[in-house]
Amino acid sequence: MFDVQSIRKDFPILTQKVNNHDLIYFDNAATTQKPQVVIDAIVDAYTKTNSNIHRGIHTLSQISTTLYEQARQMVQTFINAPHDYEIIFTKGVTESLNLVAQTFGEAFLHEGDEVIVSAMEHHSNLVPWQIVCERKGAILKFIPFNHDGVLDVEAYKNLFSEKTKFVSVVHVSNTLGTVNPIKELIDIAHSHNVPIMIDGAQSVQHFPIDVQALDCDFFAFSGHKIYAPTGTGVLWGKEKWLEKLPPYQGGGDMIKTVTLEKTIYNTLPFKFEAGTTNYVGAHALGVALKYLMNIGLENIQQYEKELMQYATEKLSAIPQVSIIGNAPHKAGAISFEVAGAHCSDIGMILDKQGIAIRTGTHCTEPIMQFYGVPGTARLSFAMYNTKEEIDYFAKVLSTIALMFE
Ligand code: PMP
């Protein structure tokens, strides 16, 4: 049974007042709040077990190493990866995406080659590919989307050529909320023998992920958007690809042996984890994932679906509001505009009532250019949000909308 009130009790920040109002936190696509178990895991680690991993024979180092490696196994279970050594800890999805763009680009992209991304990518799955394509003389192609915010799969099929070397696509758009048909996109890429990476920054926290069922080649996400600390992230990749990619950064831990002339690189996953990682954060990420698995991702998905439907109905009932992105399958986020108002004004006035939403371009400027808007206001949900919060928000927004008529 999914009990939102009991879940809310796990998140101490939610009991705060902001601007003398009960906090209503609708900015979860930017970052989620942390449950007490995650906060405790961090405090406990620094209070009792802190010691650098992998290098020490002393007790604390061994405990620390065990916690870190257990977290890796937790991630493996969470996304159903075949092997724990295919899980690379990074500082976030941005680093995961850059890691693949840089190393794949270095090894496999040549002049005239082509890479496909969608036109709805977050900047962190667009700019790294722009950088590497420019460096290599490769061409970046874009899967278009329609006015509802739905990717054009037929156009995607036509983007492939003999020169296509890689596809990288966002699973759920942080701006439009669109859930992309990634299984179909993956199968199409593979029918051309092209590897594909999925940016799961806005999907892992909302529904179950099974990388083996998806059969993607890489899957990336950030810890802080899934109730875990900032500065943590994951890159999962198929062993066959991770083995082929060159190291991303050089330094400690990613080496097996070093002479002044030559280095033999470490095995997976350490080859991609140079230097002291955020091992306390990774441990806390493991704790967050365990906490979520206890609640059940299917339960979260079902509950959040109701929230999304409810909020969409409430917003649609306000005449001055228009929703941007009306894909039939959405998760997590709803972007909207209020007639006559700049989105920042909406965000500022809501904040005075204790309601936190995000306004602006959401690091997706090409989406703003497509719709011809300077920015949007965005509601984004987590499992601790409630229909009562949506009711209050809708009431306040209706009043604000009248002010701009
Ligand atoms: N991709 C998507 C779809 C996102 O929503 C975000 C964060 N808004 C990112 C990538 C980048 O995440 P981070 O800043 O945690 O690296």
Side-chain angles (χ1 to χ4, degrees):
M1 270 296 288
F2 185 90
D3 178 358
V4 68
Q5 289 309 331
S6 110
I7 286 170
R8 286 181 70 81
K9 291 197 186 100
D10 294 337
F11 290 81
I13 204 169
L14 296 179
T15 57
Q16 293 215 7
K17 292 220 182 276
V18 171
N19 294 326
N20 296 321
H21 291 271
D22 289 338
L23 168 65
I24 295 183
Y25 187 76
F26 283 156
D27 193 17
N28 295 285
T31 199
T32 52
Q33 301 303 346
K34 317 306 168 199
Q36 192 65 51
V37 280
V38 168
I39 299 167
D40 288 347
I42 299 166
V43 173
D44 277 3
Y46 283 124
T47 314
K48 297 175 191 153
T49 59
N50 181 47
S51 186
N52 208 335
I53 52 169
H54 291 153
R55 294 163 211 178
I57 57 157
H58 63 83
T59 305
L60 290 191
S61 176
Q62 284 173 16
I63 296 172
S64 220
T65 303
T66 304
L67 292 178
Y68 185 67
E69 293 305 329
Q70 279 173 349
R72 201 188 302 278
Q73 284 159 8
M74 196 59 77
V75 177
Q76 181 196 354
T77 308
F78 193 75
I79 59 170
N80 194 31
H83 306 292
D84 60 355
Y85 53 79
E86 295 171 326
I87 310 290
I88 316 292
F89 283 122
T90 63
K91 71 180 167 74
V93 70
T94 298
E95 189 175 46
S96 306
L97 299 167
N98 274 275
L99 188 160
V100 175
Q102 293 291 324
T103 59
F104 187 92
E106 176 62 28
F108 296 108
L109 281 187
H110 300 101
E111 191 157 352
D113 282 345
E114 294 169 1
V115 173
I116 298 174
V117 297
S118 84
M120 63 167 75
E121 297 308 316
H122 187 279
H123 295 163
S124 62
N125 196 29
L126 170 63
V127 182
W129 291 107
Q130 288 176 336
I131 293 171
V132 73
C133 285
E134 193 179 321
R135 197 172 292 156
K136 289 290 190 154
I139 297 152
L140 197 52
K141 291 177 147 184
F142 306 100
I143 315 167
F145 59 90
N146 68 17
H147 200 263
D148 281 339
V150 175
L151 282 187
D152 183 341
V153 177
E154 288 309 308
Y156 169 63
K157 288 179 186 163
N158 292 329
L159 290 179
F160 284 88
S161 79
E162 292 294 302
K163 294 275 186 186
T164 309
K165 289 286 159 27
F166 201 86
V167 178
S168 193
V169 186
V170 67
H171 195 169
V172 175
S173 163
N174 59 308
T175 300
L176 302 170
T178 309
V179 180
N180 287 319
I182 56 161
K183 181 61 189 147
E184 199 182 348
L185 304 184
I186 291 164
D187 291 345
I188 293 166
H190 287 169
S191 72
H192 294 273
N193 282 323
V194 174
I196 175 165
M197 173 158 69
I198 305 300
D199 171 358
Q202 300 292 349
S203 61
V204 275
Q205 64 281 57
H206 297 306
F207 46 84
I209 298 294
D210 181 335
V211 291
Q212 293 189 69
L214 287 173
D215 194 32
C216 51
D217 298 277
F218 299 94
F219 189 93
F221 65 95
S222 277
H224 72 100
K225 293 182 196 283
I226 186 164
Y227 310 103
T230 51
T232 62
V234 166
L235 171 68
W236 169 79
K238 281 182 181 164
E239 180 179 6
K240 68 168 185 186
W241 280 112
L242 293 175
E243 286 294 358
K244 281 185 201 142
L245 298 182
Y248 178 51
Q249 293 179 328
D253 245 24
M254 55 76 72
I255 55 93
K256 199 167 242 164
T257 59
V258 181
T259 65
L260 287 180
E261 291 75 28
K262 181 153 178 67
T263 292
I264 308 291
Y265 305 130
N266 209 339
T267 49
L268 293 174
F270 312 112
K271 175 177 138 186
F272 292 107
E273 293 184 355
T276 298
T277 57
N278 183 0
Y279 56 86
V280 171
H283 160 56
L285 168 60
V287 170
L289 298 184
K290 187 171 175 201
Y291 169 78
L292 286 179
M293 284 190 281
N294 283 338
I295 296 169
L297 264 289
E298 287 86 358
N299 296 330
I300 294 170
Q301 179 177 20
Q302 182 54 39
Y303 177 72
E304 290 183 349
K305 194 173 157 196
E306 285 168 27
L307 286 184
M308 283 289 285
Q309 272 167 2
Y310 193 70
T312 305
E313 280 162 26
K314 288 281 167 182
L315 278 171
S316 306
I318 305 172
Q320 302 87 343
V321 167
S322 34
I323 293 176
I324 296 188
N326 290 294
H329 194 188
K330 283 172 75 170
I334 305 175
S335 266
F336 64 93
E337 278 188 297
V338 176
H342 192 280
C343 57
S344 325
D345 293 332
I346 301 296
M348 260 182 309
I349 303 170
L350 285 169
D351 178 53
K352 296 276 175 284
Q353 303 296 317
I355 303 170
I357 65 158
R358 189 142 296 240
T359 58
T361 63
H362 318 294
C363 293
T364 54
E365 288 185 19
I367 296 183
M368 302 303 129
Q369 289 148 18
F370 176 83
Y371 287 102
V373 294
T376 71
R378 182 188 70 184
L379 286 181
S380 56
F381 300 115
M383 61 176 171
Y384 42 63
N385 290 127
T386 65
K387 288 187 180 167
E388 291 71 32
E389 290 179 318
I390 294 171
D391 283 337
Y392 181 65
F393 156 80
K395 198 171 124 216
V396 174
L397 187 67
S398 309
T399 317
I400 298 172
L402 289 174
M403 290 161 47
F404 289 93
E405 268 192 336

